[in-house]
Amino acid sequence: MVAFAILIFLFLGSVKGFSTKSQACTYNPQEMCKPALATAIFSTVSFTLGAVTSVVSGFLGMKIATYANARTTLEARKGVGKAFIVAFRSGAVMGFMLAANGLLVLYIAINLFKLYYGDDWEGLFEAITGYGLGGSSMALFGRVGGGIYTKAADVGADLVGKVERNIPEDDPRNPAVIADNVGDNVGDIAGMGSDLFGSYAESSCAALVVASISSFGINHDFTAMCYPLLVSSMGILVCLITTLFATDFFEIKAVKEIEPALKKQLIISTVLMTVGVAIVSWIALPSSFTIFNFGSQKVVKNWQLFLCVGVGLWAGLIIGFVTEYYTSNAYSPVQDVADSCRTGAATNVIFGLALGYKSVIIPIFAIAVSIFVSFSFAAMYGIAVAALGMLSTIATGLAIDAYGPISDNAGGIAEMAGMSHRIRERTDALDAAGNTTAAIGKGFAIGSAALVSLALFGAFVSRASISTVDVLTPKVFIGLLVGAMLPYWFSAMTMKSVGSAALKMVEEVRRQFNTIPGLMEGLAKPDYATCVKISTDASIKEMIPPGALVMLTPLIVGTFFGVETLSGVLAGSLVSGVQIAISASNTGGAWDNAKKYIEAGASEHARTLGPKGSDPHKAAVIGDTIGDPLKDTSGPSLNILIKLMAVESLVFAPFFATHGGLLFKIF
């Protein structure tokens, strides 16, 4: 963080050679704006604020989750309903904390920066973009590091424990069991939290940058300027009401009511939010205003902006439900994958991959429609608020997402504490629902990342004063090709890291089973600490190369090849990254739930596939193990790759516009 903050200061300060004199504004040359050095200093400050907020939210989220998991296990003695309420409420605590923190810090930062910038809003909101960059750069390490940590432990524990030694999941005799349970929190709570926080900070920043050079900023209308923040704060109120539906208005009595209750959360919050956004748009916005659109001002009405937010909001819901259809074992796609396990692991893998590729179709159409609608109404600002619309119900989204790892850990605690079979069945039921909601959460994160990064791309193009990006010029086209390749390179790095860390883990677990006498009989305790250390070391060491790839690409491309090539790289990485991310996380989720479908044996079909330990079940476990790094490391980290490159290009845009393209300048 420190190193990168220094980089931001040096790059942005050098735009005008560190001069402290006022300069003419970029968009309104008659006015005088604050010097570039000020932007450099304030961007660095807001970067630090964003990064700290992101880290703190991840840390507090993990604290809440570790308090909650044991309580969930204890409540499970009283019944499923009680356990559900504890798990759900703790998820909600984390969701609200994150949404509120992000909003509060951003609002305070804007007001403090205003003391210095006064009427120069263009410079003010340009400096605020650092906030999004800070949030996302920490999310990158949370996601990649967390993903490597959790999957190394998970794959290691499964391969030796379930496949070789035939002991149940979360059995205390397995040396990797602690690392596996810790890993769920690292990846799914700290990683997911900082990821969505990053999206949220960035879409706010993208909207604010575009608004500052539109009529809101020119006429200094602070209420309308804060429209993105008002939408989010409305979201917090809406989610508060929505949460009561799950915990207080309806009591959950039976296992089969869990998943519908979580799904209702999404629908209720979306419907209420639509009303909320209408109110905010009607009160906060003037009836007609102009939005900056690549060099010209476009006239927009307030109801059009409401439609932009609404389109993003409903697209998020559609993506969530499509993801659920493809990853929940209640529907035919996952049941087909489970059925293909009859003939072994190979067919299971083929069916799973096909399912993942197929699941991309509808989400992409949903994203495409929302982009088209919001862009035609309000140019790039429309896309930024559509992304905010998708993220406005972030508190509910995070609540149902953090619910997953909490109930997963509760099951682990029940198994390790040797509690009765009945309790383990209850926590398993909670966990199966949690798996699907985790997939829905990932769908949301990927969909919003696509919109956010397009909005940032628009802000970057406006800021670097490019009016059109022409695909037919070789500069841009090579950028597109290279950009589309980056997600593959990044995925290769993360998958390989998980593989090599899992290899070390498997060797360590095997060594303990072979050398510690009385371990299988349950007389001796395994050495858990060594396994935790392997995971921790691997995640810290292995997250540096993929992190460097994402952080350095925009800097290198922008400095040596200039803004046109960079805009090509951003577009390319966005287009290919979204597809890989959706297919990877859905494939992994489907394999996981196909295995759970066979294990639960709830239907006639599932029972024919055999109890645990049958051949189809073994094939399903292999599929699940392959899917682990896909759904928890590569897939979710890709949306950070897309966003981070775009927001970084936006922050460094002034530098690239003045000094970029060294190679083409030489020739």
Side-chain angles (χ1 to χ4, degrees):
M1 202 168 102
V2 173
F4 206 68
I6 294 169
L7 258 184
I8 293 177
F9 178 71
L10 292 177
F11 269 70
L12 290 179
S14 67
V15 172
K16 290 276 187 290
F18 296 101
S19 83
T20 48
K21 290 195 288 294
S22 292
Q23 55 180 27
C25 300
T26 322
Y27 300 102
N28 198 355
Q30 292 83 28
E31 309 258 323
M32 290 309 277
C33 283
K34 295 286 190 255
L37 189 64
T39 307
I41 295 168
F42 283 104
S43 291
T44 314
V45 172
S46 57
F47 168 77
T48 320
L49 275 177
V52 169
T53 314
S54 187
V55 171
V56 167
S57 359
F59 175 76
L60 291 176
M62 279 176 69
K63 259 212 156 358
I64 294 163
T66 41
Y67 278 130
N69 50 26
R71 293 177 190 192
T72 307
T73 314
L74 289 175
E75 287 293 301
R77 294 182 302 187
K78 301 176 194 164
V80 165
K82 292 270 189 281
F84 171 79
I85 286 181
V86 171
F88 184 78
R89 275 191 183 147
S90 10
V93 171
M94 181 192 159
F96 286 115
M97 188 194 64
L98 207 109
N101 263 350
L103 191 60
L104 185 69
V105 177
L106 183 57
Y107 185 68
I108 292 173
I110 291 175
N111 281 319
L112 288 179
F113 286 13
K114 241 168 83 177
L115 296 177
Y116 169 78
Y117 277 101
D119 280 347
D120 169 20
W121 285 16
E122 186 189 298
L124 163 67
F125 290 104
E126 196 174 296
I128 288 284
T129 50
Y131 183 72
L133 178 62
S136 247
S137 51
M138 286 303 112
L140 172 77
F141 296 115
R143 261 298 192 205
V144 178
I148 293 169
Y149 186 111
T150 164
K151 287 308 120 185
D154 197 356
V155 173
D158 283 0
L159 280 180
V160 184
K162 285 195 219 163
V163 179
E164 291 176 14
R165 296 279 168 166
N166 249 345
I167 56 177
E169 189 160 9
D170 294 324
D171 191 298
R173 290 172 294 182
N174 193 335
V177 71
I178 301 286
D180 182 12
N181 277 321
V182 173
D184 289 332
N185 291 312
V186 183
D188 281 347
I189 287 191
M192 184 72 186
S194 48
D195 179 4
L196 279 175
F197 167 75
S199 284
Y200 166 79
E202 283 160 356
S203 50
S204 308
C205 291
L208 291 168
V209 168
V210 179
S212 70
I213 51 178
S214 307
S215 63
F216 300 158
I218 297 164
N219 307 337
H220 294 291
D221 179 353
F222 192 65
T223 314
M225 191 69 217
C226 283
Y227 180 68
L229 302 181
L230 288 167
V231 171
S232 313
S233 42
M234 192 64 183
I236 296 181
L237 292 176
V238 164
C239 292
L240 223 125
I241 301 166
T242 312
T243 314
L244 297 177
F245 277 98
T247 53
D248 296 270
F249 299 154
F250 304 111
E251 189 78 21
I252 286 192
K253 305 259 188 325
V255 171
K256 60 177 182 295
E257 291 171 17
I258 298 174
E259 235 176 88
L262 290 169
K263 274 162 34 189
K264 274 193 209 112
Q265 285 286 297
L266 288 175
I267 298 171
I268 295 168
S269 64
T270 305
V271 172
L272 289 176
M273 192 59 205
T274 311
V275 181
V277 173
I279 297 170
V280 168
S281 309
W282 188 56
I283 295 175
L285 296 170
S287 62
S288 171
F289 43 88
T290 64
I291 292 289
F292 183 84
N293 179 21
F294 300 131
S296 60
Q297 296 281 353
K298 178 185 170 83
V299 179
V300 181
K301 305 267 189 294
N302 57 3
W303 59 268
Q304 292 177 313
L305 214 47
F306 158 67
L307 283 180
C308 293
V309 182
V311 152
L313 189 62
W314 286 91
L317 188 70
I318 291 169
I319 292 174
F321 278 131
V322 170
T323 314
E324 197 243 357
Y325 173 72
Y326 278 106
T327 55
S328 161
N329 49 28
Y331 303 105
S332 57
V334 171
Q335 293 175 4
D336 290 346
V337 172
D339 193 61
S340 69
C341 293
R342 292 174 193 280
T343 44
T347 41
N348 179 24
V349 171
I350 294 168
F351 270 70
L353 287 172
L355 175 143
Y357 296 147
K358 198 174 154 197
S359 70
V360 176
I361 302 168
I362 299 173
I364 291 294
F365 277 121
I367 293 172
V369 168
S370 51
I371 286 172
F372 184 77
V373 170
S374 49
F375 192 88
S376 350
F377 279 148
M380 276 304 173
Y381 188 72
I383 293 175
V385 290
L388 266 174
M390 197 179 279
L391 289 165
S392 59
T393 51
I394 182 176
T396 299
L398 267 171
I400 62 174
D401 198 79
Y403 158 86
I406 290 173
S407 42
D408 191 355
N409 274 180
I413 291 171
E415 179 76 49
M416 290 187 282
M419 293 168 93
S420 75
H421 187 63
R422 246 190 17 259
I423 292 177
R424 180 71 217 218
E425 268 172 14
R426 285 173 189 160
T427 55
D428 272 353
L430 291 175
D431 184 23
N435 243 6
T436 310
T437 58
I440 294 178
K442 283 175 191 133
F444 260 95
I446 295 164
S448 64
L451 286 176
V452 169
S453 94
L454 187 63
L456 290 165
F457 178 63
F460 160 72
V461 172
S462 315
R463 182 60 196 85
S465 38
I466 313 171
S467 50
T468 52
V469 177
D470 184 2
V471 184
L472 297 176
T473 48
K475 273 192 214 181
V476 178
F477 194 77
I478 55 170
L480 277 174
L481 277 178
V482 172
M485 174 273 301
L486 288 174
Y488 288 92
W489 189 358
F490 182 80
S491 301
M493 283 179 172
T494 48
M495 298 276 287
K496 198 143 191 252
S497 305
V498 172
S500 59
L503 196 76
K504 288 198 193 89
M505 186 68 79
V506 167
E507 282 168 358
E508 173 59 26
V509 175
R510 276 185 190 152
R511 183 193 69 77
Q512 293 198 27
F513 272 126
N514 294 335
T515 56
I516 299 177
L519 182 56
M520 273 306 278
E521 293 73 48
L523 305 171
K525 261 188 138 171
D527 175 10
Y528 299 120
T530 316
C531 291
V532 174
K533 191 172 173 356
I534 289 178
S535 251
T536 314
D537 293 351
S539 66
I540 291 172
K541 193 172 99 243
E542 302 276 1
M543 74 188 175
I544 295 168
L549 174 74
V550 180
M551 303 287 264
L552 296 178
T553 304
L555 290 179
I556 293 169
V557 174
T559 310
F560 292 113
F561 297 95
V563 277
E564 281 101 344
T565 312
L566 182 55
S567 54
V569 168
L570 295 180
S573 67
L574 165 65
V575 167
S576 84
V578 174
Q579 332 285 338
I580 307 177
I582 297 177
S583 62
S585 58
N586 287 354
T587 296
W591 276 327
D592 193 350
N593 274 343
K595 176 204 71 174
K596 283 205 166 56
Y597 174 75
I598 294 176
E599 285 177 354
S603 67
E604 197 47 56
H605 174 231
R607 283 192 287 277
T608 58
L609 292 169
K612 285 186 186 181
S614 67
D615 281 343
H617 176 249
K618 279 188 176 149
V621 170
I622 292 175
D624 176 33
T625 314
I626 301 172
D628 271 340
L630 283 174
K631 79 170 195 297
D632 287 327
T633 315
S634 298
S637 315
L638 277 174
N639 52 37
I640 295 179
L641 167 119
I642 306 168
K643 291 182 316 203
L644 190 56
M645 282 178 32
V647 72
E648 194 182 322
S649 310
L650 173 59
V651 172
F652 288 108
F655 175 79
F656 298 149
T658 30
H659 300 301
L662 293 179
L663 288 181
F664 294 129
K665 279 179 186 163
I666 298 167
F667 303 127

